[in-house]
PDB file of all heavy atoms in Angstrom:
ATOM      1  N   PRO A  50     -12.713  -8.672  17.596  1.00 84.00           N
ATOM      2  CA  PRO A  50     -11.937  -7.467  17.287  1.00 84.00           C
ATOM      3  C   PRO A  50     -10.681  -7.296  18.133  1.00 84.00           C
ATOM      4  O   PRO A  50      -9.603  -6.995  17.603  1.00 84.00           O
ATOM      5  CB  PRO A  50     -12.945  -6.331  17.533  1.00 84.00           C
ATOM      6  CG  PRO A  50     -14.284  -6.979  17.402  1.00 84.00           C
ATOM      7  CD  PRO A  50     -14.115  -8.365  17.906  1.00 84.00           C
ATOM      8  N   ALA A  94      -8.584   1.838  10.626  1.00 78.00           N
ATOM      9  CA  ALA A  94      -9.707   2.596  10.082  1.00 78.00           C
ATOM     10  C   ALA A  94     -11.033   2.016  10.554  1.00 78.00           C
ATOM     11  O   ALA A  94     -11.975   2.756  10.879  1.00 78.00           O
ATOM     12  CB  ALA A  94      -9.638   2.618   8.562  1.00 78.00           C
ATOM     13  N   ASP A  95     -11.124   0.692  10.595  1.00 78.00           N
ATOM     14  CA  ASP A  95     -12.372   0.050  11.011  1.00 78.00           C
ATOM     15  C   ASP A  95     -12.657   0.273  12.503  1.00 78.00           C
ATOM     16  O   ASP A  95     -13.820   0.475  12.898  1.00 78.00           O
ATOM     17  CB  ASP A  95     -12.325  -1.447  10.708  1.00 78.00           C
ATOM     18  CG  ASP A  95     -12.426  -1.740   9.210  1.00 78.00           C
ATOM     19  OD1 ASP A  95     -12.829  -0.822   8.457  1.00 78.00           O
ATOM     20  OD2 ASP A  95     -12.081  -2.865   8.807  1.00 78.00           O
ATOM     21  N   VAL A  96     -11.622   0.217  13.329  1.00 77.00           N
ATOM     22  CA  VAL A  96     -11.804   0.452  14.742  1.00 77.00           C
ATOM     23  C   VAL A  96     -12.286   1.869  14.987  1.00 77.00           C
ATOM     24  O   VAL A  96     -13.175   2.129  15.814  1.00 77.00           O
ATOM     25  CB  VAL A  96     -10.501   0.171  15.519  1.00 77.00           C
ATOM     26  CG1 VAL A  96     -10.580   0.745  16.943  1.00 77.00           C
ATOM     27  CG2 VAL A  96     -10.239  -1.328  15.568  1.00 77.00           C
ATOM     28  N   ALA A  97     -11.682   2.815  14.262  1.00 76.00           N
ATOM     29  CA  ALA A  97     -12.101   4.217  14.422  1.00 76.00           C
ATOM     30  C   ALA A  97     -13.582   4.395  14.090  1.00 76.00           C
ATOM     31  O   ALA A  97     -14.283   5.181  14.715  1.00 76.00           O
ATOM     32  CB  ALA A  97     -11.256   5.122  13.526  1.00 76.00           C
ATOM     33  N   HIS A  98     -14.063   3.622  13.101  1.00 77.00           N
ATOM     34  CA  HIS A  98     -15.462   3.756  12.675  1.00 77.00           C
ATOM     35  C   HIS A  98     -16.401   2.927  13.547  1.00 77.00           C
ATOM     36  O   HIS A  98     -17.415   3.436  14.031  1.00 77.00           O
ATOM     37  CB  HIS A  98     -15.592   3.335  11.220  1.00 77.00           C
ATOM     38  CG  HIS A  98     -17.001   3.395  10.708  1.00 77.00           C
ATOM     39  ND1 HIS A  98     -17.640   4.584  10.454  1.00 77.00           N
ATOM     40  CD2 HIS A  98     -17.896   2.409  10.403  1.00 77.00           C
ATOM     41  CE1 HIS A  98     -18.865   4.348  10.006  1.00 77.00           C
ATOM     42  NE2 HIS A  98     -19.049   3.040   9.994  1.00 77.00           N
ATOM     43  N   VAL A  99     -16.080   1.650  13.742  1.00 75.00           N
ATOM     44  CA  VAL A  99     -16.994   0.735  14.421  1.00 75.00           C
ATOM     45  C   VAL A  99     -16.945   0.931  15.929  1.00 75.00           C
ATOM     46  O   VAL A  99     -17.975   1.073  16.585  1.00 75.00           O
ATOM     47  CB  VAL A  99     -16.670  -0.724  14.035  1.00 75.00           C
ATOM     48  CG1 VAL A  99     -17.594  -1.675  14.808  1.00 75.00           C
ATOM     49  CG2 VAL A  99     -16.829  -0.934  12.540  1.00 75.00           C
ATOM     50  N   ALA A 100     -15.737   0.891  16.490  1.00 73.00           N
ATOM     51  CA  ALA A 100     -15.616   0.933  17.938  1.00 73.00           C
ATOM     52  C   ALA A 100     -15.784   2.350  18.499  1.00 73.00           C
ATOM     53  O   ALA A 100     -16.419   2.534  19.545  1.00 73.00           O
ATOM     54  CB  ALA A 100     -14.260   0.372  18.359  1.00 73.00           C
ATOM     55  N   LEU A 101     -15.230   3.338  17.797  1.00 78.00           N
ATOM     56  CA  LEU A 101     -15.283   4.706  18.310  1.00 78.00           C
ATOM     57  C   LEU A 101     -16.407   5.518  17.707  1.00 78.00           C
ATOM     58  O   LEU A 101     -16.670   6.647  18.154  1.00 78.00           O
ATOM     59  CB  LEU A 101     -13.935   5.405  18.042  1.00 78.00           C
ATOM     60  CG  LEU A 101     -12.700   4.717  18.659  1.00 78.00           C
ATOM     61  CD1 LEU A 101     -11.452   5.512  18.332  1.00 78.00           C
ATOM     62  CD2 LEU A 101     -12.863   4.544  20.167  1.00 78.00           C
ATOM     63  N   GLY A 102     -17.054   4.982  16.671  1.00 83.00           N
ATOM     64  CA  GLY A 102     -18.173   5.674  16.066  1.00 83.00           C
ATOM     65  C   GLY A 102     -17.802   6.887  15.236  1.00 83.00           C
ATOM     66  O   GLY A 102     -18.630   7.761  14.995  1.00 83.00           O
ATOM     67  N   ILE A 103     -16.559   6.941  14.791  1.00 86.00           N
ATOM     68  CA  ILE A 103     -16.105   8.082  13.987  1.00 86.00           C
ATOM     69  C   ILE A 103     -16.508   7.861  12.524  1.00 86.00           C
ATOM     70  O   ILE A 103     -16.165   6.841  11.944  1.00 86.00           O
ATOM     71  CB  ILE A 103     -14.575   8.253  14.081  1.00 86.00           C
ATOM     72  CG1 ILE A 103     -14.169   8.496  15.536  1.00 86.00           C
ATOM     73  CG2 ILE A 103     -14.078   9.373  13.191  1.00 86.00           C
ATOM     74  CD1 ILE A 103     -12.669   8.548  15.754  1.00 86.00           C
TER      75      ILE A 103
END
Side-chain angles (χ1 to χ4, degrees):
D95 288 344
V96 166
H98 178 72
V99 177
L101 302 180
I103 299 175

